[in-house]
Amino acid sequence: MRNVLIVGATRGLGHSLAAQYAKKGMTVYATARYSIPQTPAHGIHWIANVDVAHEGAGRRITAQWQEETKIDVLIICAGYFAMETLEEPHWDKEVTMYKTCAIGPVFLVHHLLHAGLLKRNSRVILVGSESGSVTLRHESQGGGNYGGHGSKAALNMVGKLLSIDLKPKGIAVAIVHTGYLRKENKEGYFEPGSKGAVKPGEAATGLVEWIESFDMSKTGELWAPRGAGDINSAEVVLGPLDTLPVPLQLPW
């Protein structure tokens, strides 16, 4: 593995992934939705103004790709989640969630593939969430957040379909739940967040390790590299946590 492209890398998981891969000596390209960080980390090539919710995101990346070789690992971290209830759904926010999480990745992969940047043995990682799993959604968790959960469920299907289309080309695709991240506040401190939430660096470490063993045998599957520790319904739906393997393949 030599070239890594991380889409959505200005903060959180994406930023931690870019830093870890750069530290390993990889050639790292990272995208920012708007401007690049004011203090960019060493070894990271930034591509600004890449909004996955816009159809031309992939073309913008290809126009600034300076390597003569392919992308070895593509990780799409960009996402958007807005709270909703049945009493107060939000049309525009739902549309943005679907465009960012489920529609945009299709067009981005399309453009990278046809530009010759995704080739045999490339690996595509779509960062999703267990919240998109219909099987894991338990009534004790309640309803609501239709766009957030629905767009992640749509991403699961997108990942499966991409894996079918790309398998003959030797390109593996996975959808991953990296764990719920602790939130960073304005002072730079991480707030606890949900049960089992981890810092972005911890989630990134788990994903980087998992990608090392990811190959065509797991293409088209939904995985939790860190296991089910932060999945509230896991014990009810899948069984006692101490009996579940790590990493864990999740049900759709």
Side-chain angles (χ1 to χ4, degrees):
M1 177 169 56
R2 177 188 170 195
N3 298 315
V4 179
L5 170 61
I6 300 168
V7 178
T10 52
R11 59 180 179 173
L13 177 66
H15 188 268
S16 294
L17 286 168
Q20 290 192 24
Y21 274 119
K23 189 175 181 179
K24 286 177 174 285
M26 308 298 180
T27 300
V28 179
Y29 280 79
T31 75
R33 185 181 178 190
Y34 300 117
S35 58
I36 67 174
Q38 293 182 348
T39 55
H42 177 72
I44 299 176
H45 307 274
W46 284 95
I47 303 175
N49 301 311
V50 176
D51 187 347
V52 177
H54 291 171
E55 187 269 341
R59 285 195 295 265
R60 182 172 290 276
I61 293 172
T62 61
Q64 298 188 54
W65 187 262
Q66 298 173 2
E67 299 297 310
E68 295 182 358
T69 57
K70 65 180 174 67
I71 297 168
D72 294 301
V73 175
L74 164 64
I75 308 175
I76 303 179
C77 297
Y80 173 62
F81 183 91
M83 302 289 287
E84 293 179 287
T85 65
L86 184 57
E87 287 69 34
E88 293 186 55
H90 198 292
W91 180 275
D92 289 337
K93 289 181 179 178
E94 283 209 21
V95 170
T96 300
M97 283 185 267
Y98 277 95
K99 286 168 63 179
T100 303
C101 297
I103 300 173
V106 175
F107 286 84
L108 193 148
V109 169
H110 162 80
H111 288 305
L112 297 181
L113 179 68
H114 286 275
L117 298 185
L118 292 174
K119 297 181 179 179
R120 182 166 297 276
N121 296 323
S122 292
R123 288 172 284 177
V124 177
I125 310 297
L126 306 174
V127 176
S129 171
E130 61 85 20
S131 66
S133 168
V134 175
T135 300
L136 289 175
R137 193 65 189 178
H138 191 267
E139 62 181 17
S140 63
Q141 297 172 285
N145 295 328
Y146 298 96
H149 296 303
S151 63
K152 294 300 186 183
L155 177 62
N156 288 343
M157 179 57 82
V158 162
K160 182 65 176 181
L161 295 174
L162 284 173
S163 75
I164 294 170
D165 284 336
L166 294 175
K167 188 173 183 178
K169 302 180 185 298
I171 300 171
V173 181
I175 311 95
V176 295
H177 167 76
T178 58
Y180 288 104
L181 302 184
R182 294 172 65 179
K183 305 298 182 181
E184 186 175 11
N185 60 29
K186 294 180 180 179
E187 287 72 38
Y189 295 100
F190 289 96
E191 299 168 354
S194 62
K195 167 191 171 186
V198 298
K199 290 183 178 180
E202 296 174 283
T205 297
L207 181 55
V208 169
E209 291 176 354
W210 184 83
I211 290 173
E212 289 293 327
S213 63
F214 170 58
D215 57 23
M216 194 61 74
S217 68
K218 299 185 183 74
T219 193
E221 297 175 351
L222 173 63
W223 281 84
R226 291 177 53 84
D230 68 335
I231 301 175
N232 291 328
S233 65
E235 197 152 20
V236 176
V237 178
L238 302 177
L241 295 182
D242 59 5
T243 67
L244 300 176
V246 179
L248 175 67
Q249 183 181 356
L250 298 178
W252 298 116

